[in-house]
Amino acid sequence: MFDALSEKLQATLADVRGRGTLTEDDIKKAMREIRLALLEADVNFKVVKEFTNTVRERCMGADIVGQLNPGQQVVKIVHEELEALMGGQSGDIVFSPRPPTVILMAGLQGSGKTTATAKLAKFLQKEHGSSVGVAACDVYRPAAVDQLVKVGGQVGATVYEQGTDRDPVDIARWALDQAKQDGKDVLIVDTSGRLHVDEKLMEELKNIRTAVRPHNILLVVDAMTGQDAVNVAEQFGAAVNFDGVIMSKLDGDARGGAALSVKAVTGKPILFASTGEKLDQFERFHPDRMAQRILG
Ligand code: GDP
């Protein structure tokens, strides 16, 4: 993940750092290299343009041309802007003062939604001491309910399921009642995904949203699918106003474009990163640490 991007950015910045003084041309050259590296990493082209413009303006404005050791400042500016690009601060779930806090999970089939549902349950149990229920409302993907029963059980969450024959909206409503009765702090609702965004998927999601009135809608986005992931996020955002992103499969050899573009394109932050198939490979997303990782 980010390997090629890291390598290229680090080479460019090492070159800049190694110079005694910087000319305007040096900065322009560095910006060209950064632009290319980001485009090759599959970052959205508008995002790349804005990013390099901002960095260039800040470098010029920082009055570093002709100064001694200006490279360090350029590195600092690139770091700060990468961090800002990914949302700046790390975010969190919004907890309702009246439990259960309801979290609706959305995303395409195969994005890692069901896995993330169990991972998030485990995370909230551990980080916040929450008692968590998960609702199996993905009734279309074969075996999704069984999968949630299995992984939900593994993390010690209560799994609310009614098989695959009932309407997912009814299951969601029923699960919320159960969670209330059981005194759960959090209910995470796994919904169905399809292979692409379609009206039926969005309708169902909206109906579940109306039924359970979630405090958080999280979109699970597969980092491996690059720009497609960002387009999908944009389409979801237009239909249901989600609050944050869980970026899955960040352990793979994704080039990084999705992680770097999604906040700028959708306006919604990445809250969590899923980094493997194991249920504890899940963490809060920290833009500063990610920028550090990219720049080494
Ligand atoms: P859903 O259709 O969106 O519910 O997707 P699943 O949760 O079933 O995940 C699809 C596949 O991706 C499964 O084989 C998961 O084990 C795998 N997967 C999910 N999250 C991750 C992740 O963060 N890293 C890796 N490497 N695989 C993941």
Side-chain angles (χ1 to χ4, degrees), residues 272-283:
F272 299 100
S274 180
T275 55
E277 297 201 44
K278 295 209 188 93
L279 296 173
D280 56 358
Q281 290 175 316
F282 186 84
E283 56 200 54

Side-chain angles (χ1 to χ4, degrees), residues 8-10 23 30 33 89 101 124 132 142 159 164 199 205 207 213 224 247 292:
K8 289 195 181 113
L9 290 183
Q10 285 176 26
T23 64
E33 287 173 11
Q89 306 276 324
T101 291
L124 293 174
V132 182
V159 183
T164 54
E199 251 175 53
L205 208 52
N207 291 338
R213 299 165 55 118
M224 302 289 287
M247 187 62 63
Q292 186 67 47

